[in-house]
Amino acid sequence: MAYPILRVHVDVIERNARAVAAKCAEHGMTVWGVTKGISSPAEIARRLKGTGITALGDSRMANIKRLKAAGVDMPFALVRIPMRSELEDVIEYADYSLVSDIGTLSEMSALCEAKKKTHKTLLMADLGDLREGFWPDEAEKVACELKNLSPALQIAGVGVNFGCASGVLPSFENLSRLLLFGKTVEDALGIKLGIYSGGATTRSLEGMDAELFPPGINNLRIGEGYLLGTDKSCGVDIKWLEQDTMELEAEVIEVRVKPSFPIGEVGRDAFGNIPHFEDRGLRLRGILGVGKQDVYVGSLKPLDEGVQIITASSDHMIVDLEDCPVKPKVGDILKFRPEYAAMLSLSTSPYVTKIYEG
Ligand SMILES: *Cc1c(COP(=O)(O)O)cnc(C)c1O
C-alpha cells in the first residue's frame, strides 16, 4: 500500500454516530450526519444508516450524487446554500436544502413544478456568525414572498449556523432568536414548521447537558462530533465519544542530527512566510514523505512519543525526533491524529491512500 495512508476506523465512527444520535434523542433532537469533513466516502456514509441519524448532510452536490449512485439509501441534505447553477441537481437529488435567498427559493419552486417533484427546504437565519442566513427581522417579509411559491417546495423548518465564519458560539439567547424567527414564519404562513435546526458540532454536544438549547430546537447537523469525537471551537475532546477514529501514517525518508537553527540568511519560504526557529542546539531530525499537498500540517497531532512537528514544505514534513525513546529509522512509519482541517485535506488529497477498516 502506498504511503501516506489515512487509516479510518469505521467501527469507531459508527459507535460515535450512535452515541451522538442517542444523546440528542434524550434532548428531543434529531441528528443529520454531515459527511463533508472527510470527503463523504460511501464506506462511512452507508454505515450511518441504523445509527439513529435521520439524514446525511453534505456541502457538495457531487458528493450527494456519488453517494446515491453508490446505493446509500438515506435522505440527503445539501448543507451549503445552493448555487443557482446547481438547482436542477438539488431538486433532483437532494431531499433537503438550506436556503437564504428569496430569488433562489423562487427558482427552486419553479423547478419543483417543472419536474413534478417535492423538495423540503430550511430557511437559514444569520444570528451573528455572519455567514449564510436571512437577517432575523426579515422573517415576516420573507414569509410574505413565500406565499407565492409552489406548495411542492415545502418550507420544512428554519436553521442557523455558528462558529464557521466569525467564531460566534450558540447560546440560549441567540437560539431563542431562532425560535422567534421560526414562529414569525409560522404565523405569517399559517403552518407549523417541523425542523428547528440549531447548528453544528460547535458547542452543541458539549453544551447540551448544560441546558444550552431552549425547548423547541429539535435538530442538529453534526460532522466533527462523530468523525473526530472533538469540538474544536471549545478546544475539547467530547468525553462520551471516542477520539481514535483515524490516523495518518507517514514514512520516514531521512533521519540525521542537524542544527535546529538554519545556517545562512533567511528569506521567505515557498508559501511566502519568513520562518522563525528556536535554537535548541543539535537535534535528531526526521523527514517524512508527506507535505502540504497532502495535509494541513498545523492540524496534526503526533501519536508517537517524543515526535514534534517542526515545519513542512509541499512534499516533506520535518519532525524533531530527539526526545523519542526509540529513535525512528528511515523506512519506519510514524502516526498522527488529524484535527478537522487535517482530516479535510487528507481526505481530499488524491496522493493519500485511504483505508477504511472495522
Ligand atoms: C459543515 C456544516 C455542518 C457540520 O459541521 P461540523 O462542525 O462538522 O459538525 C453543519 N451545518 C452546516 C451548514 C455546515 O456547513
Side-chain angles (χ1 to χ4, degrees):
M1 217 36 110
Y3 287 95
I5 289 173
L6 177 65
R7 190 177 298 277
V8 182
H9 308 291
V10 186
D11 51 344
V12 183
I13 289 177
E14 186 183 335
R15 280 202 297 275
N16 275 349
R18 221 173 268 287
V20 168
K23 180 80 153 184
C24 291
E26 276 173 36
H27 291 265
M29 292 198 257
T30 59
V31 178
W32 291 358
V34 177
T35 48
K36 68 183 191 214
I38 189 159
S39 306
S40 319
E43 288 85 346
I44 293 178
R46 67 168 62 94
R47 295 277 288 272
L48 296 176
K49 190 172 177 159
T51 58
I53 277 175
T54 56
L56 299 184
D58 207 283
S59 50
R60 306 199 179 233
M61 280 313 306
N63 287 341
I64 291 176
K65 286 163 80 171
R66 178 173 47 76
L67 290 176
K68 279 182 100 92
V72 177
D73 174 28
M74 297 263 295
F76 283 92
L78 180 68
V79 300
R80 178 170 68 188
I81 51 174
M83 297 184 266
R84 294 278 173 99
S85 58
E86 66 185 351
L87 291 181
E88 291 239 8
D89 277 354
V90 176
I91 302 302
E92 188 70 34
Y93 299 104
D95 302 276
Y96 293 94
S97 57
L98 312 181
V99 179
S100 66
D101 182 82
I102 197 77
T104 300
L105 286 164
S106 158
E107 281 200 23
M108 289 169 79
S109 154
L111 279 166
C112 284
E113 286 288 320
K115 288 176 171 281
K116 304 256 173 294
K117 283 213 154 208
T118 59
H119 177 82
K120 298 189 265 301
T121 194
L122 271 57
L123 305 175
M124 294 301 277
D126 187 336
L127 299 179
D129 195 49
L130 309 185
R131 200 175 73 177
E132 74 276 46
F134 291 106
W135 212 239
D137 65 9
E138 287 181 288
E140 204 160 337
K141 191 180 96 212
V142 170
C144 280
E145 307 248 14
L146 292 176
K147 285 181 186 156
N148 305 320
L149 302 188
S150 160
L153 181 69
Q154 298 166 9
I155 308 303
V158 292
V160 61
N161 199 63
F162 293 106
C164 285
S166 316
V168 170
L169 297 170
S171 66
F172 193 92
E173 189 276 325
N174 56 28
L175 287 164
S176 301
R177 285 194 278 133
L178 179 67
L179 293 177
L180 184 63
F181 179 80
K183 184 76 173 51
T184 309
V185 173
E186 287 185 354
D187 290 348
L189 291 180
I191 57 169
K192 273 272 169 235
L193 297 176
I195 302 176
Y196 279 75
S197 188
T201 300
T202 303
R203 197 189 248 177
S204 301
L205 300 178
E206 274 295 288
M208 202 168 269
D209 285 333
E211 312 290 325
L212 171 65
F213 292 98
I217 304 293
N218 61 13
N219 171 271
L220 292 174
R221 311 172 308 270
I222 301 290
E224 182 190 355
Y226 78 93
L227 290 169
L228 295 171
T230 57
D231 178 350
K232 191 91 179 67
S233 71
C234 300
V236 294
D237 290 347
I238 297 166
K239 282 183 256 341
W240 45 276
L241 294 174
E242 297 171 67
Q243 285 74 43
D244 53 347
T245 56
M246 64 192 74
E247 299 101 40
L248 163 66
E249 299 174 0
E251 186 172 337
V252 178
I253 53 177
E254 184 190 288
V255 177
R256 188 162 289 141
V257 174
K258 292 189 183 184
S260 44
F261 201 73
I263 302 157
E265 218 178 316
V266 173
R268 291 183 192 277
D269 67 14
F271 295 84
N273 308 306
I274 301 181
H276 293 282
F277 299 101
E278 187 194 343
D279 191 353
R280 307 170 77 194
L282 289 174
R283 307 280 298 179
L284 189 70
R285 272 164 95 92
I287 303 179
L288 298 166
V290 67
K292 289 185 178 174
Q293 196 164 9
D294 310 294
V295 62
Y296 186 83
V297 175
S299 135
L300 284 176
K301 293 273 166 280
L303 288 171
D304 299 279
E305 196 188 336
V307 174
Q308 279 175 285
I309 297 171
I310 299 173
T311 187
S313 58
S314 306
D315 310 296
H316 303 71
M317 182 160 95
I318 303 171
V319 287
D320 185 302
L321 302 174
E322 188 68 33
D323 299 334
C324 294
V326 181
K327 303 292 182 258
K329 306 177 302 299
V330 171
D332 286 355
I333 303 300
L334 296 182
K335 293 186 182 186
F336 299 83
R337 177 163 301 157
E339 295 178 348
Y340 195 88
M343 169 173 72
L344 185 71
S345 47
L346 286 166
S347 62
T348 304
S349 174
Y351 301 105
V352 176
T353 302
K354 285 87 175 173
I355 297 179
Y356 303 98
E357 55 185 33

